[in-house]
Amino acid sequence: MLGYRVYSRLRPVQAALCKKALSTSVGCERRLGVIVPKQGVLLLQPASLPPAARFIHTSQLLFSDIVEVQGPAFAESISEGDIRWLKQKGDFVKEDELVAEIETDKTSVEVPAPFSGTIVELLVEDGHKVVAKQKLYKLQKGEAGAAASAPAPAAEPKKEEPKAAAAPPPPPPPSPPKAAGEIPKQMPQVSPPPAAPAKSTPVTQIPVTPSAPKGVPAEQAITGSRSETRVKMNRMRLRIAQRLKDAQNTYAMLTTFNEIDMSNVMEMRNRYQKDFSKKHGIKLGLMSPFIRAASYALQDQPVVNAVIDDNEIVYRQFVDISVAVATPKGLVVPVLRNVESMDYAQIEFTLAQIGEKARDGKLAIEDMEGGTFTISNGGVFGSLFGTPIINPPQSAILGMHGIFDKPVAVNGKVEIRPIMTVALTYDHRLIDGREAVTFLKKIKTAVEDPRTILMNI
């Protein structure tokens, strides 16, 4: 809506005439020495003012500022994504509040509001494809309720109440009570018998629709309704499926297994957990011994840390370990950089950081790029053993599984020990069986007795 700002100029009599003319049309007010209309469009044009006030300059004011908001820029490896709206048309958003998320094949990109205002229009439908810096929605600047503010309608005149209301008619006199024991003179009415016998269904034949288990979406729940629901596969799941199938088609994958006695690690955690937490402010878990042992074994067998690139073998002089993390949207693999220089406390602290970011969906592309070796811990879900698939373009992956009490021979005697089965899947084009088995045995030794890392044996 447009208004006019009226400036007084040269002679005071012009401003006085202008003020008088405006106040008789739409009403004026003074702001910092300037006369402006309170609301609406100025009905009295400058040409219709008195001659003394025709030398008045006017300038337009834009009362509603609507901006088309662009989406964020993507990383070089991402070209497009699917948008998911968190806010809808008519919603008020504060500055930096999330309006939408763009789901790419690697991560979710947030779309915050550049300033406070009201969403006027969504330019892209929910779930549709968008590219970098595409215009996504229209946002009207202003505080909450500013866009919807309008002059209150004049109150209707109150209707006059009648001076005297008609008196209500007197209630009918109560009927005299019947004498006790009076014999009725007429027979009571009897309902006619039904034309057909009443139908009934046995309790065992009544269909019961089970409710969805807790944590299972309604469209995925099995309720016995004999229906199907189709849900669009998200980009992350599509990317995971493509990469896993490419790995099967490209690599000559082979898996070797071993068992690790977890007695010493569990005893070490129980003995030093309190001191470790007090000094470093974080608990000692089971992942840090395996990550530290994997880094130690990779330095002993550097070919497992290498990769094939066309007709060349690329050896890396650093150890970046990818850790598989399960999220509601799919499996992500954030990377711990330069693990060869980390101790248990640094590993645990970094794991806590990337784990929190993964759960909150805050992982960036940079957090998952690279990686020379991957560790996947299926034991947290109770896995007994399995064969993990290589994470391209790496050459090997370690699979951790559940810890179960098993009878084992110790110094010629049978004892019950907590045993974990581990699996190493490797690219047989690059890594021979001798190197793979030696690498996995090195991990077993370093986990069962961490002192071997200190002694470098």
Side-chain angles (χ1 to χ4, degrees):
M1 185 176 291
L2 298 179
Y4 288 85
R5 180 175 286 169
V6 184
Y7 295 89
S8 59
R9 189 181 177 206
L10 296 178
R11 292 175 294 180
V13 64
Q14 296 175 350
L17 291 174
C18 174
K19 182 176 181 181
K20 180 178 180 182
L22 291 175
S23 61
T24 57
S25 57
V26 294
C28 298
E29 61 182 357
R30 178 176 296 275
R31 299 179 184 172
L32 300 178
V34 179
I35 304 171
V36 298
K38 288 183 178 178
Q39 60 187 9
V41 178
L42 181 61
L43 301 178
L44 189 60
Q45 300 297 331
S48 61
L49 292 173
R54 289 184 183 177
F55 300 97
I56 297 175
H57 291 256
T58 61
S59 64
Q60 294 183 349
L61 277 177
L62 190 62
F63 281 91
S64 59
D65 192 359
I66 298 177
V67 177
E68 291 184 343
V69 181
Q70 293 182 346
F74 296 159
E76 294 182 0
S77 59
I78 299 176
S79 59
E80 61 185 24
D82 295 334
I83 192 167
R84 181 173 68 92
W85 290 107
L86 304 177
K87 300 292 184 179
Q88 299 298 325
K89 178 181 178 181
D91 291 348
F92 174 79
V93 293
K94 297 181 180 179
E95 184 177 356
D96 295 331
E97 185 177 357
L98 292 186
V99 178
E101 287 184 350
I102 300 176
E103 186 180 78
T104 67
D105 55 1
K106 295 183 178 180
T107 185
S108 294
V109 182
E110 298 178 345
V111 182
F115 49 80
S116 300
T118 303
I119 299 176
V120 177
E121 182 181 359
L122 302 180
L123 303 179
V124 183
E125 294 185 8
D126 188 73
H128 280 209
K129 180 179 68 176
V130 296
V131 297
K133 296 185 179 181
Q134 178 179 339
K135 294 181 179 179
L136 302 179
Y137 63 99
K138 294 182 179 180
L139 185 63
Q140 181 179 2
K141 292 183 179 180
E143 297 299 327
S149 61
E156 297 182 359
K158 188 176 181 181
K159 297 181 180 180
E160 296 183 359
E161 297 182 357
K163 295 182 179 180
S175 56
K178 295 182 179 181
E182 183 179 356
I183 300 175
K185 297 180 181 180
Q186 296 180 355
M187 294 290 293
Q189 294 183 357
V190 181
S191 58
K199 295 182 179 180
S200 61
T201 303
V203 177
T204 57
Q205 298 181 8
I206 298 177
V208 179
T209 303
S211 59
K214 185 177 180 180
V216 178
E219 64 272 10
Q220 301 179 15
I222 299 177
T223 60
S225 60
R226 309 298 303 173
S227 61
E228 296 177 347
T229 303
R230 291 182 178 268
V231 179
K232 182 180 179 181
M233 188 179 294
N234 62 57
R235 285 183 171 268
M236 186 179 295
R237 178 57 60 185
L238 286 170
R239 181 62 174 171
I240 292 173
Q242 178 186 353
R243 288 173 60 85
L244 293 179
K245 190 58 184 175
D246 290 345
Q248 283 187 327
N249 297 336
T250 302
Y251 297 118
M253 289 189 290
L254 188 63
T255 304
T256 182
F257 298 89
N258 212 323
E259 290 184 340
I260 297 179
D261 187 348
M262 301 295 292
S263 300
N264 289 337
V265 172
M266 298 176 71
E267 189 273 335
M268 179 183 68
R269 290 180 63 209
N270 294 334
R271 174 178 294 186
Y272 299 109
Q273 184 69 267
K274 184 177 180 180
D275 296 335
F276 186 89
S277 301
K278 183 178 181 180
K279 181 176 181 179
H280 302 290
I282 193 170
K283 290 185 177 181
L284 177 62
L286 287 178
M287 284 297 296
S288 55
F290 276 89
I291 294 175
R292 184 70 186 90
S295 174
Y296 177 66
L298 287 171
Q299 296 175 62
D300 183 71
Q301 299 292 327
V303 69
V304 184
N305 199 51
V307 65
I308 295 177
D309 186 13
D310 292 334
N311 296 327
E312 298 177 337
I313 300 176
V314 181
Y315 291 93
R316 277 77 68 94
Q317 280 73 47
F318 54 89
V319 176
D320 290 351
I321 295 183
S322 306
V323 179
V325 179
T327 67
K329 294 182 180 180
L331 192 69
V332 295
V333 280
V335 181
L336 281 71
R337 314 284 180 184
N338 292 105
V339 183
E340 75 280 355
S341 61
M342 289 185 178
D343 56 19
Y344 286 168
Q346 293 171 325
I347 293 174
E348 289 291 349
F349 184 75
T350 308
L351 282 175
Q353 284 184 322
I354 63 177
E356 183 179 358
K357 293 175 68 175
R359 288 189 297 270
D360 298 339
K362 305 292 185 181
L363 285 175
I365 300 299
E366 296 76 13
D367 296 326
M368 295 179 287
E369 285 183 339
T372 61
F373 184 77
T374 297
I375 297 179
S376 177
N377 185 9
V380 295
F381 305 109
S383 170
L384 178 60
F385 63 86
T387 57
I389 298 178
I390 295 175
N391 177 26
Q394 300 171 13
S395 299
I397 179 174
L398 176 69
M400 299 169 53
H401 300 94
I403 302 174
F404 301 95
D405 290 339
K406 295 182 180 180
V408 294
V410 180
N411 298 325
K413 296 181 180 179
V414 178
E415 296 184 10
I416 304 298
R417 294 291 184 92
I419 302 298
M420 174 190 289
T421 302
V422 292
L424 177 72
T425 300
Y426 57 96
D427 186 2
H428 209 354
R429 300 177 304 165
L430 175 63
I431 305 171
D432 295 332
R434 177 184 63 85
E435 296 161 334
V437 173
T438 304
F439 173 81
L440 189 57
K441 187 177 179 181
K442 200 76 172 180
I443 291 180
K444 170 183 171 67
T445 304
V447 172
E448 290 184 342
D449 190 357
R451 292 174 295 181
T452 58
I453 300 178
L454 300 177
M455 301 177 66
N456 193 20
I457 58 176

